[in-house]
């Protein structure tokens, strides 16, 4: 494995933004298993101290502005040991500590407790610079069944915005405008829908009363004013859904949200993942401050099998069309096939007994302008095998794109759990013909009942690492291998054998592009190939969050021919830079230079 000395030497190359190119050949690589086979990743959670806490949800995010990714993890696990302890835990990445140990700042961070000392049970926790001061603030959503008379939680705790002082210490902004959101908030996504340089927020809400009704709350859009405060603009933007769940544009039980520019018009569109086998929604941004629902015409809403019948022997009535789709949890966008438009992977939970009308996890390949940017669904793109072909569950909760080996092709990380029949963290490597190969056995994961994931270069050595939560939901007690389900930090041990570049953006704020460049498109050209990345403010289930930076694998290319930034401002400004050296992290200033 990489030694502490090697990690410290690598870290020295990345002090603040005075970044020098570090030769990938000089970084120690081993990761050997007992039989001598090279493993691509090494779990170093014990080395960092993460094995001391339970965590189902996880985020890598630089909260103190030192350019190293910090760790925000949340637990759903409850037992006598943890029932009176905070459910949100915050750890600073301290690159100068021996073995990369993390610093616990949970108590002082301000994210884990209310002002009266009560524990704050955040459901989604997503990050963006909402007040345009250059640091990462947070939206903390609250999920409880408001109509359930047996609810034992604190009904006075509402969704809220937390502002960062720049050092990783947050304070709740009173009356930010998001407090009135209904109580069953599951997910949230930051984006700048109107390109005014101020971050906006889309919130995904769930059933009004789970188990007693299939009616759901409206999922609102909040317009940001650039000072941390928000105004509900759901009605005027056309996002107000109908109260009847049987309608295509009816309110859905939303488990995941996301955004990307799926139709290449320069505006970020909103993606909504619905539970209860209801239709997904794709809100197309018209660029005039309004949205139009395009789920059906793009095939994002569900697959073409809508008869709703169950297999023989399953004693259930045939489902109506609005209940013959998927239990969608997460969405991840990427131009995986390098053809210039954004493709999508959708994760689903389904079961063999549900039959063919229940959607499976699928790769949605964008068919481009000539086909009105509709998607072609492929539920077999990953060619997974179930232990029992006649009786299986598909517990796909989270998904992420990453170029783990820096070869210039984006790979797919699938996090599956919540069922005890072979649900694991799996990595699928993309081959040059754009098909995928399951290489989990080469990765060294062995991570059963995986939960939330976050991708980022935590040690700044030039390759992408994986933070993965652990869930014991529905697992038999014999599956409990430790005292509690603690997360894993899988350090990448082979990606830096190839060349790379990581790009951060700095927008001008109000009147320009938002400070973190969320919604920007970055086009990189090197060695005769073109790659695209977009900067996101959260994509997926329960506040899935990756740091807002773009990482490109370059293979053997030492030089980048051209980088083009399409800024998410009113004028859709483009900037182009040529002849950039590889193997470094850079920051690009809107209208300015590379730092």
């Amino acid at each position: 494995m990489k030694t502490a000395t090697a990690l410290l030497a690598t870290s020295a190359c990345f002090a603040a933004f005075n970044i020098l190119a570090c030769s990938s050949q000089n970084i120690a690589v081993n990761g050997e298993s007992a039989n001598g086979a090279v493993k691509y990743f090494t779990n170093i959670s014990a080395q960092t101290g993460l094995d001391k806490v339970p965590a189902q949800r996880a985020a890598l995010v630089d909260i103190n502005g030192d350019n190293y990714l910090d760790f925000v993890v949340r637990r759903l696990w409850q037992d006598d040991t943890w029932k009176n302890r905070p459910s949100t835990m915050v750890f600073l990445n301290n690159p100068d500590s021996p073995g990369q140990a993390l610093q616990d700042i949970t108590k002082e961070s301000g994210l884990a407790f209310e002002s009266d000392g009560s524990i704050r049970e955040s459901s989604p926790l997503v990050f963006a610079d909402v007040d345009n001061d250059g640091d990462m603030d947070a939206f903390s959503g609250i999920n409880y069944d408001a109509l359930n008379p047996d609810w034992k939680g604190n009904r006075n705790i509402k969704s809220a915005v937390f502002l960062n002082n720049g050092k990783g210490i947050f304070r709740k902004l009173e009356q930010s405008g998001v407090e009135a959101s209904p109580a069953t908030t599951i997910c949230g996504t930051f984006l700048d829908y109107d390109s005014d340089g101020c971050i906006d927020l889309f919130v995904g809400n769930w059933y009004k009363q789970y188990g007693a009704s299939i009616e759901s709350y409206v999922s609102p859009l909040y317009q940001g004013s650039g000072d941390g405060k928000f105004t509900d603009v759901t009605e005027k933007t056309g996002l107000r859904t109908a109260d009847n769940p049987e309608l295509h544009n009816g309110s859905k039980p939303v488990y995941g949200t996301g955004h990307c520019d799926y139709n290449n018009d320069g505006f970020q569109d909103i993606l909504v993942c619905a539970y209860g086998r209801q239709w997904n929604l794709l809100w197309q941004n018209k660029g005039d401050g309004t949205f139009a629902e395009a789920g059906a015409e793009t095939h994002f809403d569900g697959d073409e099998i809508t008869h709703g019948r169950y297999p023989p022997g399953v004693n259930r009535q045939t489902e109506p069309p609005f209940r013959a789709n998927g239990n969608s949890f997460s969405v991840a966008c990427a131009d995986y096939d390098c053809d210039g438009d954004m493709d999508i992977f959708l994760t689903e939970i389904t079961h063999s007994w549900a039959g063919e009308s229940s959607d499976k996890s699928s790769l949605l390949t964008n068919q481009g302008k000539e086909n009105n940017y509709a998607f072609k669904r492929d539920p077999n793109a990953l060619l997974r095998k179930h232990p029992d072909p006649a009786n299986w569950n598909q517990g796909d909760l989270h998904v992420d794109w990453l170029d783990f080996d820096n070869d210039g092709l984006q790979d797919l990380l699938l996090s599956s759990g919540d069922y005890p029949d072979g649900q694991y963290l799996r990595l699928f490597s993309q081959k040059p013909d754009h098909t995928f190969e399951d290489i989990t056995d080469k990765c060294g994961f062995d991570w059963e009942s995986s939960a939330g994931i976050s991708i980022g270069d935590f040690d700044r050595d030039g390759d992408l690492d994986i933070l993965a939560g652990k869930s014991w939901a529905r697992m038999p007690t014999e599956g409990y291998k430790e005292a509690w389900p603690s997360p894993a930090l899988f350090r990448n041990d082979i990606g830096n054998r190839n060349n790379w570049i990581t790009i951060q953006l700095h927008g001008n704020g109000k009147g320009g592009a938002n400070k973190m460049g969320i919604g920007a498109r970055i086009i990189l050209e090197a060695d005769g190939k073109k790659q695209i990345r977009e900067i996101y403010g959260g994509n997926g289930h329960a506040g899935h969050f990756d740091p807002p930076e773009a990482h490109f694998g370059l293979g053997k290319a030492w030089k980048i021919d051209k980088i083009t930034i399409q800024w998410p401002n009113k004028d859709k400004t483009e900037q182009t830079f040529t002849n950039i050296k590889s193997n470094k992290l850079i920051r690009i200033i809107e209208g300015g230079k590379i730092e």
Side-chain angles (χ1 to χ4, degrees):
M1 72 171 57
K2 294 177 187 174
T3 64
T5 302
L7 283 169
L8 292 172
T10 302
S11 300
C13 297
F14 291 89
F17 281 101
N18 184 22
I19 297 170
L20 303 175
C22 300
S23 173
S24 58
Q25 281 81 358
N26 292 332
I27 299 175
V29 175
N30 246 338
E32 290 189 0
S33 65
N35 63 7
V38 173
K39 295 295 184 181
Y40 297 161
F41 293 86
T42 301
N43 183 4
I44 62 167
S45 60
Q47 182 175 317
T48 61
L50 285 172
D51 63 331
K52 302 297 190 296
V53 299
Q56 286 69 57
R57 296 171 182 169
L60 290 165
V61 52
D62 179 10
I63 61 172
N64 64 347
D66 67 351
N67 207 38
Y68 283 89
L69 301 176
D70 305 303
F71 296 70
V72 180
V73 298
R74 289 169 290 148
R75 66 171 175 85
L76 306 178
W77 175 252
Q78 296 285 357
D79 67 2
D80 290 341
T81 303
W82 290 93
K83 65 181 179 181
N84 295 318
R85 298 169 71 175
S87 59
T88 298
M89 290 157 282
V90 183
F91 301 90
L92 291 183
N93 186 347
N94 184 3
D96 294 327
S97 66
Q100 208 86 11
L102 304 178
Q103 178 186 353
D104 187 346
I105 63 162
T106 298
K107 186 175 182 179
E108 55 264 47
S109 72
L111 291 175
F113 299 96
E114 291 292 310
S115 58
D116 63 0
S118 59
I119 294 172
R120 183 173 181 86
E121 303 280 355
S122 295
S123 179
L125 191 59
V126 289
F127 299 87
D129 183 2
V130 301
D131 57 357
N132 280 330
D133 65 351
D135 54 39
M136 298 296 281
D137 310 301
F139 167 70
S140 169
I142 298 298
N143 174 31
Y144 67 82
D145 192 334
L147 301 180
N148 186 346
D150 297 325
W151 171 257
K152 295 181 174 59
N154 189 343
R155 294 180 185 273
N156 294 319
I157 298 178
K158 307 293 185 182
S159 294
V161 169
F162 286 77
L163 298 182
N164 191 342
N165 70 353
K167 299 179 181 179
I169 307 303
F170 296 81
R171 66 172 179 88
K172 185 167 72 172
L173 179 63
E174 301 296 338
Q175 302 302 315
S176 66
V178 304
E179 295 83 5
S181 183
T184 57
T185 295
I186 302 291
C187 48
T189 295
F190 283 116
L191 73 160
D192 184 4
Y193 85 92
D194 52 1
S195 305
D196 66 351
C198 301
I199 282 294
D200 311 306
L201 173 67
F202 182 78
V203 171
N205 292 318
W206 211 46
Y207 290 115
K208 291 184 177 180
Q209 192 172 14
Y210 180 60
S213 169
I214 60 171
E215 293 184 350
S216 300
Y217 289 109
V218 172
S219 291
L221 176 66
Y222 295 102
Q223 184 181 44
S225 58
D227 59 0
K229 295 192 174 183
F230 292 86
T231 302
D232 190 331
V233 293
T234 312
E235 191 80 43
K236 78 173 188 178
T237 56
L239 288 170
R240 176 65 167 85
T241 45
D243 292 331
N244 185 352
E246 298 187 21
L247 300 178
H248 211 111
N249 68 336
S251 297
K252 314 297 182 190
V254 179
Y255 249 147
T257 58
H259 68 99
C260 69
D261 179 11
Y262 87 96
N263 61 351
N264 287 351
D265 64 356
F267 295 95
Q268 289 292 299
D269 310 295
I270 298 174
L271 310 169
V272 179
C273 300
Y275 184 73
R277 295 181 63 181
Q278 296 193 35
W279 288 301
N280 297 324
L281 301 173
L282 194 162
W283 291 107
Q284 181 190 115
N285 191 333
K286 306 298 289 184
D288 59 0
T290 66
F291 291 81
E293 209 286 300
E297 65 192 66
T298 59
H299 313 304
F300 182 76
D301 60 342
D303 67 20
E304 71 280 2
I305 306 173
T306 58
H307 56 64
R309 294 189 298 272
Y310 288 94
V314 177
N315 188 23
R316 293 197 178 202
Q317 292 185 343
T318 297
E319 302 287 355
F322 86 99
R323 283 264 303 144
N325 304 283
N327 294 307
S328 303
F329 272 67
S330 280
V331 59
C333 304
D335 179 19
Y336 84 93
D337 51 6
C338 300
D339 66 351
D341 47 42
M342 303 308 292
D343 312 295
I344 290 172
F345 197 92
L346 266 174
T347 66
E348 314 277 356
I349 278 186
T350 189
H351 320 276
S352 54
W353 57 259
E356 65 174 357
S357 195
S358 181
D359 294 358
K360 296 179 181 179
S361 298
S362 296
L363 177 64
L364 278 61
T365 301
N366 197 321
Q367 299 299 289
K369 183 177 181 180
E370 59 273 19
N371 293 293
N372 295 318
Y373 298 100
F375 296 101
K376 181 180 179 182
R377 280 178 169 255
D378 183 0
N380 300 310
L382 301 186
L383 297 177
R384 287 184 298 161
K385 294 181 179 179
H386 297 288
D388 182 353
N391 184 19
W392 50 264
N393 301 290
Q394 183 176 275
D396 298 344
L397 300 174
H398 301 270
V399 65
D400 224 330
W401 293 97
L402 75 162
D403 183 357
F404 88 97
D405 53 359
N406 285 340
D407 67 349
L409 293 171
Q410 295 191 75
D411 312 299
L412 194 75
L413 184 71
L414 188 64
S415 179
S416 304
D418 281 15
Y419 297 95
D421 63 339
Q423 311 293 321
Y424 284 87
L425 181 70
R426 292 182 171 92
L427 183 60
F428 297 85
S429 176
Q430 186 182 170
K431 298 188 289 187
D433 63 356
H434 303 308
T435 60
F436 293 86
E437 176 188 3
D438 188 343
I439 60 166
T440 305
D441 59 337
K442 300 177 182 179
C443 291
F445 294 155
D446 192 26
W447 198 243
E448 187 176 12
S449 203
S450 185
I453 52 177
S454 187
I455 307 297
D457 184 4
F458 94 96
D459 51 5
R460 293 302 188 200
D461 68 346
D463 52 32
L464 294 174
D465 310 295
I466 301 167
L467 179 62
K470 168 79 78 170
S471 173
W472 283 346
R474 300 187 181 90
M475 290 290 288
T477 54
E478 56 265 27
Y480 298 2
K481 299 178 181 178
E482 296 85 21
W484 48 70
S486 59
L489 177 57
F490 290 109
R491 188 192 61 214
N492 190 329
D493 286 330
I494 70 153
N496 50 34
R497 292 176 176 179
N498 282 324
N499 297 312
W500 56 277
I501 194 165
T502 300
I503 300 172
Q504 297 175 345
L505 300 180
H506 182 81
N508 292 329
K510 193 170 186 177
N514 64 84
K515 286 287 188 177
M516 300 295 175
I518 292 173
R521 180 170 287 194
I522 303 173
I523 305 168
L524 180 145
E525 299 175 49
D527 196 25
K529 301 173 183 176
K530 184 182 292 187
Q531 299 184 55
I532 292 176
R533 302 285 190 274
E534 289 186 343
I535 304 295
Y536 298 123
N539 269 346
H541 173 52
H544 178 119
F545 186 85
D546 296 327
E549 55 189 40
H551 181 90
F552 293 85
L554 302 173
K556 302 307 177 185
W558 285 96
K559 180 177 68 71
I560 299 161
D561 299 317
K562 184 165 69 171
I563 295 174
T564 302
I565 311 297
Q566 297 177 349
W567 289 96
N569 55 30
K570 288 285 188 185
D571 297 326
K572 305 303 173 192
T573 305
E574 288 195 3
Q575 278 181 275
T576 299
F577 302 88
T578 57
N579 296 322
I580 303 105
K581 292 181 180 179
S582 62
N583 297 329
K584 58 184 177 179
L585 186 154
I586 63 174
R587 183 169 73 162
I588 297 178
I589 311 299
E590 181 182 7
K593 61 180 181 179
I594 293 177
E595 292 184 344

